[in-house]
Amino acid sequence: TEPLVVLELGFSYTELCSLTQEISEAKRIELPLEIIDKIASFFVVEPVNSSTVQVVRASSSSEQHGHPLSAVLDPSLSNWWISGPGSMLHGRGREFVEFQLSNKLCRLQQFSIQIPPLPMGPLSVRQLRLEKYQPPPRPQQSQPQQGDPWIPISPIWTVENKTGWQTYTLNPPVDVQVIRVVCLSNQISMIIEQMENSN
């Protein structure tokens, strides 16, 4: 398969090489194929490699022993991260964990998560979405910057109350370097909702 090209360009690798060659011919510059390949390589992205993913920070963290931020990337279900006290009132809020996927742009196509299900994990995430950082345009003259620079790159996904990995697909995929997993509700919100509906 041919290399992946930054999505914003809208070209395949073969099309990008052909376009580079056409531009060089239009400028009456004869470029060797290896130079054309070198130019095109600057626009190539690799799929996310799980070994390069790092957890950077979170909106809040519990001070309870055994629930550090580093536990986010620990595949063991005996360790997990918990947001700070009072951060998800009635099981709802907007807590995030920020990840650096690579030191350069990479292609994100899937996201996987596993949780400790009820009754072990009442604070486990129930609804989430992924966001990426998009710097706001420079304000003209002295106008203040407006809006949140973090924009959604996924729909709101529901994490089922079960063991094992749950995988979600980004369609279309996204070229990113840093993402946030934003927790919008936890598993206990479902119980609170059922109680409210029964009253």
Side-chain angles (χ1 to χ4, degrees):
T1 60
E2 63 179 22
L4 301 172
V5 174
V6 175
L7 288 167
E8 287 184 16
L9 289 182
F11 297 115
S12 69
Y13 188 80
T14 302
E15 290 169 336
L16 181 59
C17 290
S18 296
L19 180 63
T20 306
Q21 189 168 8
E22 286 173 20
I23 292 170
S24 68
E25 288 171 357
K27 297 285 185 181
R28 296 196 172 126
I29 302 169
E30 198 168 316
L31 291 177
L33 286 177
E34 58 268 20
I35 299 296
I36 291 173
D37 275 341
K38 183 68 175 174
I39 292 168
S41 72
F42 286 103
F43 299 96
V44 168
V45 293
E46 298 291 333
V48 173
N49 181 341
S50 59
S51 68
T52 67
V53 176
Q54 297 178 320
V55 59
V56 179
R57 66 189 183 109
S59 47
S60 69
S61 284
S62 169
E63 294 180 3
Q64 293 180 43
H65 178 70
H67 302 294
L69 184 57
S70 59
V72 170
L73 293 175
D74 187 341
S76 167
L77 280 181
S78 60
N79 298 314
W80 56 86
W81 166 79
I82 298 178
S83 61
S87 58
M88 297 290 285
L89 193 62
H90 304 299
R92 299 193 178 277
R94 195 180 184 282
E95 291 296 296
F96 68 81
V97 179
E98 195 171 305
F99 297 88
Q100 180 167 323
L101 305 182
S102 176
N103 58 5
K104 57 185 179 181
L105 277 182
C106 56
R107 179 73 45 86
L108 179 63
Q109 294 180 294
Q110 287 188 326
F111 168 79
S112 296
I113 188 170
Q114 64 174 341
I115 62 166
L118 293 169
M120 288 191 328
L123 301 180
S124 296
V125 64
R126 174 73 176 165
Q127 289 186 311
L128 63 82
R129 76 176 177 209
L130 305 185
E131 294 181 352
K132 74 170 184 176
Y133 181 75
Q134 180 165 301
R138 289 186 178 181
Q140 294 182 352
Q141 296 173 352
S142 60
Q143 292 177 348
Q145 291 185 353
Q146 296 180 353
D148 188 348
W150 290 89
I151 61 169
I153 57 172
S154 77
I156 294 174
W157 289 319
T158 298
V159 181
E160 299 301 328
N161 180 42
K162 63 182 183 181
T163 57
W165 288 101
Q166 299 181 52
T167 299
Y168 305 87
T169 300
L170 284 159
N171 188 15
V174 183
D175 293 336
V176 286
Q177 186 174 350
V178 177
I179 64 164
R180 282 182 177 175
V181 177
V182 182
C183 308
L184 302 171
S185 69
N186 58 28
Q187 294 293 331
I188 206 151
S189 68
M190 183 173 55
I191 297 171
I192 294 172
E193 193 175 304
Q194 288 169 353
M195 290 170 60
E196 288 174 346
N197 290 339
S198 64
N199 291 336

